[in-house]
Amino acid sequence: MESRIDSITSVIAPLKERLAQHDMYKRLSNEESIRVFMQHHVFAVWDFMSLTKWLQYNLVSKSLPWMPPANPKLARFINEIVLSEESDIDQDGEHMSHFEMYLLAMKEINSSTDEIESFLAQLKLEKSVSGTCKELDIPKSIERFMAFTFACIKSNKPHVVASAFTFGREDVIPEMFLGILENSKLDNAAKLKYYMQRHIELDGDEHGPMAMEMLQILCGTDLQKWKEVELTAFTALNLRISLWDGVEKALLAETMTV
């Protein structure tokens, strides 16, 4: 009998194929194109942590005095994710978050971090994500991508957030990054290469399978939850494709101005 996970995987397979075959990968042929890609993608690197931390806050005991978590297996899984995402070891042996690694990788190839740093500075002033996107004229593809992330969080449904986390991130990242590594010359981008290889290793071998198991635990036999998981997965992949469309559009515009 086909499992719910297998059924959803079958439904979203065409979207995953579109993502894997996106023309954007072929356009990442030089250092300048990598710079443009990173200026878009860094926002997805950043907002991933909000999905991750929300899951940690809601799956791990947060009460004082402390009480054991309702599901120790899920608590262990999400704590392991947070440990690697928030305080991993970079290629120089320093502890830092993957987001910070990405910023350093951008700076290594002179990809401007001004936009993402301005964005975060506004958020520190307690401005909203959507308002800041409009104020800074962030590309619509990025704005829509992040809006969906925070809509999932606002739903306050663990299985919805876990679906965006699993099917929109952990399940597709290894193949996406392999596509970039295979199509791009990263001779002068050692930090980015390390970052991508680290994610291929973690997400493909460990985090991806564990995330699928998390969904099984959160949804059980609840058909409504599984329907919401499928819809979330479908939307997440469409918005990732739209994000890549935005990168390709920016790359084409860059080519026309040269």
Side-chain angles (χ1 to χ4, degrees):
M1 182 177 177
E2 187 179 44
S3 73
R4 295 293 173 186
I5 291 289
D6 290 338
S7 175
I8 293 171
T9 299
S10 178
V11 168
I12 63 175
L15 288 176
K16 290 181 67 176
E17 181 65 17
R18 279 180 59 195
L19 185 60
Q21 300 300 322
H22 201 288
D23 285 344
M24 180 205 70
Y25 297 113
K26 300 172 185 176
R27 300 189 187 282
L28 300 178
S29 56
N30 54 48
E31 198 166 284
E32 181 53 40
S33 63
I34 295 294
R35 291 191 190 105
V36 172
F37 164 79
M38 295 184 80
Q39 287 161 23
H40 284 68
H41 181 240
V42 68
F43 288 90
V45 175
W46 171 77
D47 84 337
F48 171 74
M49 281 307 300
S50 290
L51 286 174
T52 306
K53 294 297 286 187
W54 189 93
L55 287 169
Q56 185 184 42
Y57 293 152
N58 286 272
L59 299 181
V60 178
S61 177
K62 56 185 176 182
S63 63
L64 290 175
W66 177 85
M67 294 294 169
N71 191 309
K73 191 170 187 178
L74 287 183
R76 171 64 182 249
F77 164 62
I78 199 62
N79 279 335
E80 285 186 1
I81 294 278
V82 171
L83 177 65
S84 61
E85 291 289 342
E86 202 167 37
S87 56
D88 203 4
I89 300 174
D90 74 356
Q91 65 191 111
D92 299 318
E94 298 293 330
H95 288 92
M96 65 178 67
S97 68
H98 285 176
F99 175 70
E100 291 168 303
M101 285 186 198
Y102 202 86
L103 289 181
L104 289 178
M106 291 179 73
K107 291 173 181 176
E108 181 181 48
I109 63 167
N110 296 315
S111 179
S112 175
T113 60
D114 291 348
E115 194 168 50
I116 183 66
E117 288 176 347
S118 295
F119 176 80
L120 295 181
Q122 292 299 304
L123 295 190
K124 287 178 182 178
L125 297 175
E126 300 186 356
K127 295 189 177 182
S128 69
V129 170
S130 60
T132 300
C133 282
K134 289 177 174 56
E135 184 177 336
L136 298 179
D137 198 24
I138 301 295
K140 290 296 182 183
S141 56
I142 298 174
E143 183 181 351
R144 288 191 295 266
F145 187 91
M146 293 194 294
F148 176 70
T149 294
F150 288 97
C152 290
I153 290 170
K154 192 175 180 180
S155 77
N156 205 35
K157 295 179 178 180
H159 60 284
V160 167
V161 178
S163 179
F165 175 90
T166 302
F167 290 110
R169 308 296 179 113
E170 299 294 330
D171 184 48
V172 294
I173 283 174
E175 190 168 12
M176 287 190 315
F177 285 177
L178 278 171
I180 292 170
L181 289 173
E182 289 171 359
N183 285 278
S184 310
K185 293 181 180 179
L186 301 179
D187 298 338
N188 299 318
K191 292 184 184 299
L192 177 60
K193 192 173 182 179
Y194 176 87
Y195 170 90
M196 290 188 170
Q197 289 173 334
R198 182 70 175 139
H199 271 273
I200 291 168
E201 172 191 343
L202 286 172
D203 297 343
D205 297 340
E206 300 175 29
H207 296 172
M210 291 167 71
M212 294 294 184
E213 187 174 356
M214 173 174 64
L215 280 172
Q216 293 278 14
I217 294 170
L218 290 172
C219 294
T221 58
D222 190 318
L223 294 182
Q224 181 58 34
K225 286 184 178 179
W226 282 116
K227 287 179 182 177
E228 291 177 351
V229 163
E230 182 177 311
L231 178 60
T232 302
F234 189 85
T235 306
L237 288 172
N238 269 309
L239 285 168
R240 174 70 71 167
I241 291 168
S242 177
L243 183 65
W244 274 194
D245 289 344
V247 175
E248 185 179 22
K249 181 179 178 182
L251 290 172
L252 289 169
E254 189 76 20
T255 302
M256 291 176 66
T257 57
V258 171

